[in-house]
Amino acid sequence: MTAGHLQIVVCAASPAPDVTILINTAHQQSWTTAVTATPHAMDFIDIPAIEELTGAPVRSDYQTSPGVRRSLPTADALVIAPATYNSINKIALGLADNYAMTTIAELIGRHIPTVIVPFVNTALATRHPYRRAVTSLRDEGIHILLGPDHDWEPHPPGTGNDRRLAFPWTTAFHAAAALAEEKQPRK
Ligand SMILES: Cc1cc2nc3c(=O)[nH]c(=O)nc-3n(C[C@H](O)[C@H](O)[C@H](O)COP(=O)(O)O)c2cc1C
């Protein structure tokens, strides 16, 4: 019996290859996982390694064929990590221009507990569209790991590779599991 199913959406930022840390953390807590990637993130991750770990294909498009119904994943919780400047702005606007964005839009609309972990530098993080996006997503009830309360801040431009090592994968899982438990307590 699983504790829950975690849907992970990976965007195209430097911590993306380390998503295996999140997968392993979830599996250690008896969760199952599946990974969806944005089209750009497909170049950042080791797809066979992730598929081997999760036992599920990494999805980036609808993979429809004639007569096959379009399907979106089910989940008990959603973690979007690392979340890029680009994708955070799109999610806040409700854009659904690829499979990952459509998945996110629909899972949020179904009130699936959602955690976003940005990986955005300080130059981009000062932009008004981004700040508005973070506020808007929080207003919608989405948990964003960002700011002094979460010990996770934007990094200076050019330092992303060093900052990658500190990416809070484990914290993201525990935040998502806590939200899922809050929504649907397990005995
Ligand atoms: C090597 C590399 C590293 C990048 N790192 C970041 C990053 O840390 N944060 C970010 O917001 N964008 C980063 N970008 C830019 C995004 O990949 C770019 O905005 C892309 O369009 C995002 O696509 P997505 O949001 O659909 O995944 C990086 C790009 C490259 C090529």
Side-chain angles (χ1 to χ4, degrees):
M1 174 152 160
T2 74
H5 181 66
L6 180 66
Q7 179 63 46
I8 302 165
V9 175
V10 180
C11 306
S14 47
D18 306 326
V19 68
T20 49
I21 298 172
L22 174 58
I23 295 166
N24 284 323
T25 303
H27 290 178
Q28 281 157 16
Q29 301 297 320
S30 303
W31 281 65
T32 55
T33 58
V35 171
T36 292
T38 65
H40 285 117
M42 292 295 271
D43 293 334
F44 283 64
I45 55 177
D46 183 341
I47 295 165
I50 291 171
E51 291 183 339
E52 168 96 28
L53 266 181
T54 62
V58 173
R59 299 284 306 269
S60 191
D61 60 38
Y62 291 99
Q63 295 169 329
T64 50
S65 49
V68 175
R69 251 185 90 230
R70 180 192 95 128
S71 72
L72 288 169
T74 56
D76 296 297
L78 168 66
V79 171
I80 306 161
T84 53
Y85 171 81
N86 175 57
S87 284
I88 290 168
N89 289 328
K90 290 204 298 187
I91 296 163
L93 289 173
L95 299 183
D97 63 344
N98 60 46
Y99 180 77
M101 292 301 111
T102 308
T103 296
I104 291 167
E106 185 152 331
L107 291 179
I108 291 173
R110 286 194 229 153
H111 306 290
I112 300 301
T114 298
V115 174
I116 296 180
V117 193
F119 197 77
V120 174
N121 71 36
T122 48
L124 295 173
T126 58
R127 292 293 316 280
H128 284 209
Y130 177 79
R131 287 161 54 187
R132 277 196 297 269
V134 169
T135 302
S136 159
L137 290 165
R138 282 182 166 151
D139 284 350
E140 212 175 342
I142 292 161
H143 189 83
I144 305 191
L145 278 183
L146 180 67
D149 288 352
H150 301 289
D151 199 21
W152 187 242
E153 302 279 4
H155 50 275
T159 65
N161 277 341
D162 299 336
R163 193 73 177 131
R164 170 181 165 183
L165 296 175
F167 195 79
W169 293 108
T170 309
T171 307
F173 170 73
H174 289 299
L179 290 174
E181 172 72 21
E182 217 171 90
K183 186 180 175 206
Q184 200 160 38
R186 288 163 210 280
K187 293 187 193 105

